[in-house]
Amino acid sequence: MIKKIARALLTERQRNELLIFLSQLKSLAYTGDTFYCNCCNKTFSKFLPYGNQPRTNARCPWCLSLERTRLLLCYLERETSVFTPGKKILHFAPERMIRKKIRQKARRGDYIAADLNPALGDMVVDITQIPFPEEYFDYIICSHVLGHVPDEAKAIDEMYRVLKPGGEALVMTVIDLSNPATYENRDVTTPEERLVHYGEPDLVRLHGTDFGRRLQRANAQVEEIDYSLRLTEAERRRLSTGNRERELIFRCVKTTL
């Protein structure tokens, strides 16, 4: 009943803000120093379970960041110039805390937080029809989007189109590490069927270890990065950086033909 009342009285953006507020209140029950979230700079006795098959110590109690978000932020801060003012950045399905940190550094108009849902981004953008000119962005951040896009190839082509030469698209997705080929079944159409076949009710495919090849184009170099290996064992444990199924980073650099 409370959820029905909230939907009737509040916008989706307001409901999301309320969820964060309630989570922050509940996080007081997890006071401790065993785990550290680099997204909100807070420590906890444990992280929360999360997922259709719940993963232990996955979700930050305060800011709700997941393993992949914490690892991606490590990479962005240590290995890129994303936080350097003057870089033009397109961020699909923006993670709330990463969006907040980039926006604090970016010049006005240089950072675009894009999503099909206006409650989740600053600008409504279809990744298969990006409304920007060629060679416009220095960086594209696209985490856990392509598994949901029916025309994946067109989305990838569009990202390369709007990247500057030398620009980088940083892409992440769910990967079945035991499968060398991406699994797609056009007969799977309902959320219930997708949950069974792909592990999530809104995925349209489950990527295999061929994901890097799917990102490859003639004008691109693709590097698969397991960034957790560049952290110390203590950092991996304290940040809880996952099991690689959701955390691999694919660095796609646009080259000139």
Side-chain angles (χ1 to χ4, degrees):
M1 182 177 292
I2 293 175
K3 290 182 179 180
K4 289 182 179 179
I5 294 173
R7 289 193 186 97
L9 298 178
L10 302 176
T11 66
E12 184 175 355
R13 191 181 293 271
Q14 290 171 329
R15 294 198 301 271
N16 290 338
E17 292 173 354
L18 178 60
L19 174 63
I20 294 294
F21 174 73
L22 294 176
S23 297
Q24 292 173 350
L25 290 179
K26 293 178 183 178
S27 72
L28 298 174
Y30 302 98
T31 300
D33 194 45
T34 304
F35 292 93
Y36 167 68
C37 176
N38 57 334
C39 294
C40 60
N41 295 319
K42 296 186 182 299
T43 61
F44 306 93
S45 60
K46 64 179 181 178
F47 286 146
L48 303 176
Y50 186 79
N52 294 309
Q53 296 180 342
R55 309 184 301 277
T56 59
N57 293 314
R59 199 176 199 186
C60 171
W62 178 271
C63 71
L64 304 183
S65 70
L66 296 172
E67 308 101 320
R68 64 181 185 251
T69 313
R70 296 187 291 273
L71 192 61
L72 176 59
L73 180 58
C74 281
Y75 179 84
L76 293 175
E77 290 181 328
R78 301 179 187 185
E79 308 292 341
T80 77
S81 56
V82 160
F83 296 98
T84 301
K87 299 297 182 182
K88 291 190 178 297
I89 302 162
L90 178 60
H91 190 176
F92 285 103
E95 299 82 0
R96 188 177 66 91
M97 296 304 292
I98 292 181
R99 176 181 63 189
K100 180 179 179 180
K101 288 178 178 286
I102 296 177
R103 184 175 286 143
Q104 289 172 345
K105 300 289 186 179
R107 297 187 313 201
R108 184 177 180 85
D110 282 351
Y111 173 69
I112 307 296
D115 201 286
L116 287 175
N117 186 339
L120 301 178
D122 302 325
M123 181 177 182
V124 175
V125 177
D126 179 348
I127 195 172
T128 64
Q129 295 179 311
I130 301 175
F132 287 92
E134 296 181 2
E135 301 182 357
Y136 188 83
F137 291 101
D138 297 286
Y139 285 98
I140 294 176
I141 304 171
C142 180
S143 177
H144 290 251
V145 173
L146 293 181
H148 304 271
V149 179
D151 195 343
E152 178 186 65
K154 188 174 181 181
I156 295 169
D157 289 340
E158 274 290 276
M159 286 196 291
Y160 284 127
R161 180 185 68 80
V162 299
L163 267 182
K164 297 177 181 178
E168 301 180 19
L170 303 173
V171 186
M172 302 172 78
T173 192
V174 183
I175 296 179
D176 179 357
L177 297 173
S178 66
N179 194 341
T182 292
Y183 172 54
E184 298 179 88
N185 186 339
R186 294 185 179 180
D187 293 329
V188 175
T189 57
T190 68
E192 295 77 15
E193 291 172 334
R194 288 169 176 161
L195 179 61
V196 171
H197 284 258
Y198 305 137
E200 294 183 15
D202 52 354
L203 284 176
V204 296
R205 66 184 61 81
L206 179 58
H207 288 113
T209 57
D210 62 340
F211 184 59
R213 293 192 296 275
R214 295 170 74 92
L215 294 169
Q216 189 66 61
R217 296 292 186 272
N219 64 335
Q221 294 179 345
V222 178
E223 177 186 8
E224 178 183 316
I225 301 171
D226 183 354
Y227 199 66
S228 66
L229 298 179
R230 304 189 193 180
L231 306 182
T232 66
E233 182 178 348
E235 284 181 308
R236 290 195 293 271
R237 184 171 57 251
R238 200 154 186 250
L239 287 168
S240 188
T241 55
N243 62 1
R244 301 177 67 245
E245 291 179 352
R246 295 164 175 81
E247 296 81 28
L248 293 176
I249 300 170
F250 292 81
R251 177 176 177 261
C252 309
V253 181
K254 183 175 179 178
T255 61
T256 54
L257 291 175

